[in-house]
Amino acid sequence: MSSPIQLQPDETFVLNVGPQHPATHGVLRVKMEMNGEYIVDAETVIGYIHRMHEKMGENKTYPQYLMNLSRMDYLGALGYSHGHVLVVEKAAGIEVPERAEYIRAIMVELNRVASHLFWFGAFVMDLGGFSPLMYALQDREYILDMLEAVTGSRLTYCYFRFGGLYNDIDDDFIDAARRFIPRMRKSLIKYDKLVTGNIIFRKRLEGNALLSKETCRKYGASSAVARGSGINFDVRKNEPYSVYPDFDFDVPVYHEGDSLARYMVRMEEMEQSLRIIEQGLDKLPDGPIMPKKKPKLIKPPAGDYYQAVETARGSFGVRLVSDGTKTPYRLKLRSPTYSNMHLFDESCRGMMIMDALAFMGSLDLVIPEIDR
Amino acid sequence: MVTYFKDIYSGLVSLFIGMEVTFKEFFKPTVTVQYPYETLTMTERYRGHVELIENDEGKPNCIVCGLCQRACPSACITLAGVKPEGEKKKVLTKYILDFTRCSLCGSCVESCNFNALEFSKEYNLASTRREDFIFDLLQRLEDRNK
Ligand code: SF4
Ligand code: SF4
């Protein structure tokens, strides 16, 4: 939205949003230069929760680093672990049994739905609606219970292993997942009625924070941010990995580029994830979840390896440079939110502050994942 | 002008549809648990901090091989043992877990080949003192058997 008043740069003041602010969902600081309620310039300041994950990757052995990945994005942790195990398996030439790969995909998709649910609740709460958060958390709780029963933890899973999984899923899990899918579909209709159709919600988001394709490309945005601006890119489709080619699912793309488009993409992604889970459960092959010869010492041959995966927050890449020893020479983690967030500085100029916060909510930021 | 009123009308309808949802939810059963009056049992695979497994005689299964200590990414485990005269196996004398650093990754449990470590179901662990999270697992095992 363009600002109706003429901005007077000499009459500005600096507003500090964060590092502890409910709207930033984590320890992110945004230094905003304001003219009244309009943003003249903004600068996102990151690094408040930097924990040297990449450096730790160079010091720890491969198996010891497994649990670090789930500490990056605490809402969609499994997607990140998936990227890491895949790149190490590629490097060390470890075969993964088919069943393990299917279970991984099911788990990652469940985790994606959980993550989107939390984003949905938090986003609507940013806009002033509280009940949707409670409903979303209730649905998310079913997923967390399922994941807890299998993996042993609720958020920071350490479930994937090189070559397979920590332990197998049981019939209870399969039953619970099958019961969950229709329930979640019903909930999606409920959210549609309660939020998507709501006139106040729509009026606030339509035309809010238009992002062009070029901006998205320039900053390397992915996930719903790019797909809401008409870029049809999903790593699961464009550079298929794991067992995703076996599944039939669509990539929702909207061309409007506003906050509502980003919202719609994520809401439809949940339905697509449910479809993948359904197919995964149907096709789930029997067999072992670890290769016959469990890889004991992991020492990938020297080389440069890369693997990208589609996490709940966008395309996450792991670049592994091995020098043939027990620890990586370099482990670069390409964080999707890092790119998605940096759009904000440029795009929020001239916006009103409440529009900018709605925009920030639509980006789905998880700060520990940016800082790593 | 007509669209203006149409907008108001459809807007109002959308609000009422939303209210209908919340109204229905109001009469749905409560799903939350009134902690601490009610608690949930932890699932079979729940990961609390690690705990020593004892054998039939109430002694730890551990033979002080030190694999768990080496597998731990955060160096949480300190252990010691002695080899009594005439015995084949070492006997555990000290097993300290520094839970302030533990990430519950499970490397220690997986690395143990002697069925000596397991995850506990402990989750009520709030404290204001750092020392409360340094667990003497051997002591805990003895306390359990008291
Ligand atoms: S669970 Fe992991 S971090 Fe905790 S003591 Fe065991 S190996 Fe160390
Ligand atoms: S790996 Fe098992 S047997 Fe070895 S020291 Fe640790 S607990 Fe004891």
Side-chain angles (χ1 to χ4, degrees):
Chain A
M1 276 173 220
S2 60
S3 54
I5 56 156
Q6 199 62 45
L7 298 179
Q8 306 283 330
D10 51 332
E11 288 173 23
T12 60
F13 62 94
V14 172
L15 180 71
N16 226 340
V17 182
Q20 290 292 347
H21 190 278
T24 59
H25 300 292
V27 275
L28 171 70
R29 173 172 163 227
V30 189
K31 219 166 93 185
M32 287 179 180
E33 200 185 332
M34 307 286 299
N35 184 323
E37 296 219 0
Y38 292 89
I39 298 171
V40 180
D41 203 359
E43 187 192 345
T44 39
V45 185
I46 57 168
Y48 287 92
I49 190 164
H50 182 54
R51 289 148 299 162
M52 306 190 294
H53 274 308
E54 289 185 5
K55 194 72 196 165
M56 276 193 244
E58 293 168 22
N59 297 327
K60 292 183 177 187
T61 63
Y62 289 92
Q64 284 184 341
Y65 190 62
L66 275 172
M67 59 62 174
N68 278 59
L69 270 296
S70 59
R71 261 89 183 158
M72 286 179 56
D73 176 356
Y74 49 84
L75 292 178
L78 283 171
Y80 291 77
S81 311
H82 202 186
H84 178 230
V85 291
L86 282 177
V87 75
V88 175
E89 278 157 6
K90 193 195 260 178
I94 302 169
E95 282 282 329
V96 187
E98 219 191 356
R99 182 180 171 86
E101 213 38 276
Y102 267 91
I103 298 176
R104 279 182 188 175
I106 295 172
M107 291 299 194
V108 169
E109 293 306 320
L110 273 176
N111 210 195
R112 189 190 312 275
V113 178
S115 164
H116 280 4
L117 276 173
F118 197 91
W119 160 80
F120 163 75
F123 178 46
V124 181
M125 195 176 70
D126 282 351
L127 301 175
F130 189 67
S131 330
L133 175 70
M134 290 294 130
Y135 303 156
L137 286 186
Q138 186 187 341
D139 284 327
R140 177 169 168 267
E141 204 66 11
Y142 292 120
I143 303 180
L144 295 193
D145 283 348
M146 278 190 263
L147 293 181
E148 185 191 354
V150 175
T151 65
S153 28
R154 294 178 74 81
L155 280 181
T156 47
Y157 320 98
C158 184
Y159 181 54
F160 299 158
R161 296 287 178 275
F162 303 124
L165 305 166
Y166 169 58
N167 48 23
D168 205 351
I169 57 174
D170 47 15
D171 289 343
D172 286 349
F173 173 83
I174 295 175
D175 286 347
R178 285 212 188 277
R179 259 181 285 131
F180 171 75
I181 293 168
R183 188 191 288 141
M184 186 63 216
R185 289 214 164 107
K186 250 197 195 151
S187 293
L188 285 175
I189 297 172
K190 180 167 82 186
Y191 300 149
D192 246 18
K193 276 195 197 160
L194 181 64
V195 180
T196 318
N198 186 299
I199 181 97
I200 305 168
F201 180 79
R202 290 194 84 96
K203 292 255 164 190
R204 256 198 96 174
L205 295 187
E206 265 165 3
N208 167 273
L210 287 170
L211 293 178
S212 65
K213 266 189 190 176
E214 284 63 47
T215 319
C216 291
R217 288 230 171 84
K218 194 163 85 188
Y219 285 92
S222 51
S223 86
V225 181
R227 290 196 281 276
S229 297
I231 299 176
N232 186 353
F233 181 80
D234 186 316
V235 186
R236 290 173 295 175
K237 279 268 189 226
N238 296 55
E239 299 161 20
Y241 56 94
S242 183
V243 285
Y244 281 108
D246 297 359
F247 298 129
D248 172 31
F249 66 98
D250 301 323
V251 179
V253 179
Y254 277 72
H255 293 272
E256 288 81 0
D258 55 2
S259 293
L260 190 66
R262 291 187 277 280
Y263 167 88
M264 292 307 292
V265 170
R266 288 206 187 88
M267 295 310 272
E268 287 181 24
E269 264 176 19
M270 284 198 245
E271 167 57 28
Q272 298 307 325
S273 292
L274 292 180
R275 278 178 68 193
I276 297 178
I277 298 165
E278 218 169 24
Q279 293 169 38
L281 291 173
D282 287 340
K283 290 184 184 170
L284 188 67
D286 285 331
I289 52 156
M290 279 301 259
K292 270 198 205 86
K293 227 177 104 247
K294 258 195 197 180
K296 271 265 176 284
L297 189 67
I298 289 158
K299 267 191 190 178
D304 199 335
Y305 311 91
Y306 184 77
Q307 176 69 49
V309 290
E310 184 75 23
T311 66
R313 251 148 283 284
S315 57
F316 168 66
V318 190
R319 180 178 173 197
L320 167 70
V321 184
S322 167
D323 53 1
T325 55
K326 280 195 300 190
T327 56
Y329 175 74
R330 173 83 169 96
L331 194 77
K332 160 80 186 147
L333 306 168
R334 189 248 177 220
S335 130
T337 337
Y338 183 83
S339 314
N340 291 352
M341 182 195 66
H342 282 293
L343 292 165
F344 184 81
D345 294 4
E346 187 187 300
S347 312
C348 75
R349 284 185 202 138
M351 262 190 222
M352 269 178 108
I353 184 157
M354 38 274 204
D355 285 337
L357 291 182
F359 171 36
M360 191 186 262
S362 78
L363 293 177
D364 190 11
L365 305 179
V366 166
I367 313 305
E369 196 259 9
I370 298 173
D371 283 347
R372 280 161 286 159
Chain B
M1 197 65 184
V2 179
T3 44
Y4 175 75
F5 282 109
K6 260 195 186 152
D7 252 15
I8 293 186
Y9 176 73
S10 62
L12 274 176
V13 169
S14 81
L15 292 186
F16 277 111
I17 292 175
M19 272 188 224
E20 183 204 326
V21 173
T22 39
F23 187 73
K24 275 191 192 152
E25 287 292 321
F26 186 73
F27 293 102
K28 290 226 176 118
T30 319
V31 286
T32 44
V33 171
Q34 297 300 318
Y35 184 81
Y37 306 107
E38 298 169 58
T39 49
L40 297 171
T41 43
M42 289 293 111
T43 54
E44 194 50 37
R45 291 174 182 175
Y46 180 78
R47 296 173 173 213
H49 68 77
V50 290
E51 198 85 90
L52 290 170
I53 303 180
E54 56 197 342
N55 57 19
D56 301 337
E57 294 149 31
K59 292 271 173 286
N61 273 347
C62 175
I63 60 139
V64 205
C65 68
L67 275 182
C68 52
Q69 193 176 17
R70 238 175 299 148
C72 178
S74 330
C76 312
I77 299 170
T78 324
L79 44 71
V82 287
K83 201 168 180 181
E85 295 259 335
E87 291 267 343
K88 262 206 221 117
K89 284 185 194 158
K90 273 190 175 176
V91 175
L92 190 67
T93 52
K94 186 173 104 175
Y95 200 112
I96 308 284
L97 172 72
D98 184 353
F99 194 57
T100 55
R101 288 197 263 171
C102 174
S103 52
L104 293 173
C105 66
S107 300
C108 48
V109 176
E110 273 169 79
S111 67
C112 182
N113 298 324
F114 301 91
N115 185 30
L117 278 182
E118 63 176 352
F119 292 112
S120 66
K121 304 273 172 285
E122 200 77 56
Y123 62 93
N124 279 319
L125 286 170
S127 170
T128 49
R129 285 175 353 119
R130 176 181 273 247
E131 297 76 42
D132 289 348
F133 297 103
I134 316 272
F135 298 123
D136 187 341
L137 296 190
L138 206 56
Q139 189 65 45
R140 284 174 65 89
L141 190 142
E142 277 164 22
D143 290 346
R144 249 184 316 178
N145 288 336
K146 252 182 209 158

PDB file of all heavy atoms in Angstrom, chain A residues 5 19 54 117 149 154 185 212 281 301-302 310 314 366:
ATOM      1  N   ILE A   5       0.774  10.123   2.831  1.00  0.00           N
ATOM      2  CA  ILE A   5       1.406  11.377   3.210  1.00  0.00           C
ATOM      3  C   ILE A   5       2.799  11.469   2.616  1.00  0.00           C
ATOM      4  O   ILE A   5       3.419  10.464   2.290  1.00  0.00           O
ATOM      5  CB  ILE A   5       1.495  11.537   4.743  1.00  0.00           C
ATOM      6  CG1 ILE A   5       2.242  10.335   5.348  1.00  0.00           C
ATOM      7  CG2 ILE A   5       0.153  11.739   5.374  1.00  0.00           C
ATOM      8  CD1 ILE A   5       2.874  10.642   6.657  1.00  0.00           C
ATOM      9  N   PRO A  19      15.070  -6.965  20.486  1.00  0.00           N
ATOM     10  CA  PRO A  19      15.119  -8.402  20.206  1.00  0.00           C
ATOM     11  C   PRO A  19      14.092  -9.239  20.970  1.00  0.00           C
ATOM     12  O   PRO A  19      13.904 -10.386  20.619  1.00  0.00           O
ATOM     13  CB  PRO A  19      16.537  -8.794  20.622  1.00  0.00           C
ATOM     14  CG  PRO A  19      17.092  -7.668  21.374  1.00  0.00           C
ATOM     15  CD  PRO A  19      16.261  -6.487  21.149  1.00  0.00           C
ATOM     16  N   GLU A  54      27.448 -24.328  12.423  1.00  0.00           N
ATOM     17  CA  GLU A  54      28.332 -24.740  11.335  1.00  0.00           C
ATOM     18  C   GLU A  54      29.718 -25.098  11.864  1.00  0.00           C
ATOM     19  O   GLU A  54      30.330 -26.058  11.419  1.00  0.00           O
ATOM     20  CB  GLU A  54      28.430 -23.623  10.288  1.00  0.00           C
ATOM     21  CG  GLU A  54      27.151 -23.480   9.511  1.00  0.00           C
ATOM     22  CD  GLU A  54      27.241 -22.475   8.383  1.00  0.00           C
ATOM     23  OE1 GLU A  54      28.340 -21.943   8.139  1.00  0.00           O
ATOM     24  OE2 GLU A  54      26.210 -22.217   7.747  1.00  0.00           O
ATOM     25  N   LEU A 117       0.792 -25.426  10.988  1.00  0.00           N
ATOM     26  CA  LEU A 117      -0.296 -25.143  11.935  1.00  0.00           C
ATOM     27  C   LEU A 117       0.146 -24.087  12.930  1.00  0.00           C
ATOM     28  O   LEU A 117      -0.606 -23.165  13.254  1.00  0.00           O
ATOM     29  CB  LEU A 117      -0.696 -26.418  12.680  1.00  0.00           C
ATOM     30  CG  LEU A 117      -1.675 -27.327  11.967  1.00  0.00           C
ATOM     31  CD1 LEU A 117      -1.836 -28.621  12.735  1.00  0.00           C
ATOM     32  CD2 LEU A 117      -3.021 -26.648  11.812  1.00  0.00           C
ATOM     33  N   ALA A 149       5.497 -40.491  20.472  1.00  0.00           N
ATOM     34  CA  ALA A 149       5.400 -41.926  20.715  1.00  0.00           C
ATOM     35  C   ALA A 149       6.441 -42.689  19.906  1.00  0.00           C
ATOM     36  O   ALA A 149       6.900 -43.746  20.317  1.00  0.00           O
ATOM     37  CB  ALA A 149       4.001 -42.425  20.365  1.00  0.00           C
ATOM     38  N   ARG A 154       9.364 -34.290  21.586  1.00  0.00           N
ATOM     39  CA  ARG A 154       8.252 -33.569  20.985  1.00  0.00           C
ATOM     40  C   ARG A 154       8.693 -32.523  19.960  1.00  0.00           C
ATOM     41  O   ARG A 154       7.953 -32.221  19.040  1.00  0.00           O
ATOM     42  CB  ARG A 154       7.421 -32.888  22.070  1.00  0.00           C
ATOM     43  CG  ARG A 154       6.731 -33.872  22.961  1.00  0.00           C
ATOM     44  CD  ARG A 154       5.967 -33.166  24.044  1.00  0.00           C
ATOM     45  NE  ARG A 154       4.758 -32.542  23.537  1.00  0.00           N
ATOM     46  CZ  ARG A 154       3.632 -33.197  23.326  1.00  0.00           C
ATOM     47  NH1 ARG A 154       3.557 -34.469  23.559  1.00  0.00           N
ATOM     48  NH2 ARG A 154       2.578 -32.559  22.892  1.00  0.00           N
ATOM     49  N   ARG A 185      -8.410 -32.725   7.856  1.00  0.00           N
ATOM     50  CA  ARG A 185      -9.124 -32.168   6.695  1.00  0.00           C
ATOM     51  C   ARG A 185     -10.329 -31.374   7.169  1.00  0.00           C
ATOM     52  O   ARG A 185     -10.633 -30.307   6.641  1.00  0.00           O
ATOM     53  CB  ARG A 185      -9.570 -33.301   5.771  1.00  0.00           C
ATOM     54  CG  ARG A 185      -8.405 -33.934   5.065  1.00  0.00           C
ATOM     55  CD  ARG A 185      -8.776 -34.388   3.665  1.00  0.00           C
ATOM     56  NE  ARG A 185      -7.555 -34.629   2.909  1.00  0.00           N
ATOM     57  CZ  ARG A 185      -7.101 -35.845   2.578  1.00  0.00           C
ATOM     58  NH1 ARG A 185      -7.790 -36.913   2.897  1.00  0.00           N
ATOM     59  NH2 ARG A 185      -5.976 -35.968   1.909  1.00  0.00           N
ATOM     60  N   SER A 212       7.476  -8.877  -5.788  1.00  0.00           N
ATOM     61  CA  SER A 212       7.561  -9.278  -7.195  1.00  0.00           C
ATOM     62  C   SER A 212       8.414 -10.521  -7.312  1.00  0.00           C
ATOM     63  O   SER A 212       9.180 -10.873  -6.412  1.00  0.00           O
ATOM     64  CB  SER A 212       8.155  -8.151  -8.014  1.00  0.00           C
ATOM     65  OG  SER A 212       9.478  -7.940  -7.594  1.00  0.00           O
ATOM     66  N   LEU A 281       1.506 -44.025   3.754  1.00  0.00           N
ATOM     67  CA  LEU A 281       0.996 -45.100   4.606  1.00  0.00           C
ATOM     68  C   LEU A 281       0.482 -46.260   3.751  1.00  0.00           C
ATOM     69  O   LEU A 281       0.644 -47.428   4.109  1.00  0.00           O
ATOM     70  CB  LEU A 281      -0.125 -44.578   5.504  1.00  0.00           C
ATOM     71  CG  LEU A 281       0.297 -43.600   6.600  1.00  0.00           C
ATOM     72  CD1 LEU A 281      -0.918 -43.037   7.293  1.00  0.00           C
ATOM     73  CD2 LEU A 281       1.205 -44.267   7.609  1.00  0.00           C
ATOM     74  N   PRO A 301      34.631 -40.308   1.641  1.00  0.00           N
ATOM     75  CA  PRO A 301      35.836 -39.963   0.876  1.00  0.00           C
ATOM     76  C   PRO A 301      35.892 -38.463   0.610  1.00  0.00           C
ATOM     77  O   PRO A 301      34.853 -37.799   0.569  1.00  0.00           O
ATOM     78  CB  PRO A 301      35.666 -40.747  -0.430  1.00  0.00           C
ATOM     79  CG  PRO A 301      34.236 -41.167  -0.476  1.00  0.00           C
ATOM     80  CD  PRO A 301      33.748 -41.221   0.928  1.00  0.00           C
ATOM     81  N   ALA A 302      37.088 -37.955   0.439  1.00  0.00           N
ATOM     82  CA  ALA A 302      37.256 -36.520   0.242  1.00  0.00           C
ATOM     83  C   ALA A 302      36.437 -36.059  -0.959  1.00  0.00           C
ATOM     84  O   ALA A 302      36.369 -36.743  -1.974  1.00  0.00           O
ATOM     85  CB  ALA A 302      38.732 -36.209   0.023  1.00  0.00           C
ATOM     86  N   GLU A 310      13.270 -29.708   0.751  1.00  0.00           N
ATOM     87  CA  GLU A 310      12.220 -28.715   0.977  1.00  0.00           C
ATOM     88  C   GLU A 310      11.731 -28.883   2.411  1.00  0.00           C
ATOM     89  O   GLU A 310      11.088 -29.863   2.749  1.00  0.00           O
ATOM     90  CB  GLU A 310      11.074 -28.942  -0.014  1.00  0.00           C
ATOM     91  CG  GLU A 310       9.971 -27.909   0.059  1.00  0.00           C
ATOM     92  CD  GLU A 310      10.345 -26.571  -0.576  1.00  0.00           C
ATOM     93  OE1 GLU A 310      11.243 -26.553  -1.430  1.00  0.00           O
ATOM     94  OE2 GLU A 310       9.728 -25.552  -0.210  1.00  0.00           O
ATOM     95  N   GLY A 314      11.199 -23.681   3.507  1.00  0.00           N
ATOM     96  CA  GLY A 314      11.776 -23.405   2.205  1.00  0.00           C
ATOM     97  C   GLY A 314      12.887 -24.361   1.872  1.00  0.00           C
ATOM     98  O   GLY A 314      13.039 -25.391   2.515  1.00  0.00           O
ATOM     99  N   VAL A 366      11.577 -18.233  11.654  1.00  0.00           N
ATOM    100  CA  VAL A 366      11.990 -18.914  12.884  1.00  0.00           C
ATOM    101  C   VAL A 366      13.433 -18.492  13.137  1.00  0.00           C
ATOM    102  O   VAL A 366      14.330 -18.836  12.388  1.00  0.00           O
ATOM    103  CB  VAL A 366      11.873 -20.441  12.742  1.00  0.00           C
ATOM    104  CG1 VAL A 366      12.610 -21.146  13.849  1.00  0.00           C
ATOM    105  CG2 VAL A 366      10.423 -20.853  12.778  1.00  0.00           C
TER     106      VAL A 366
END
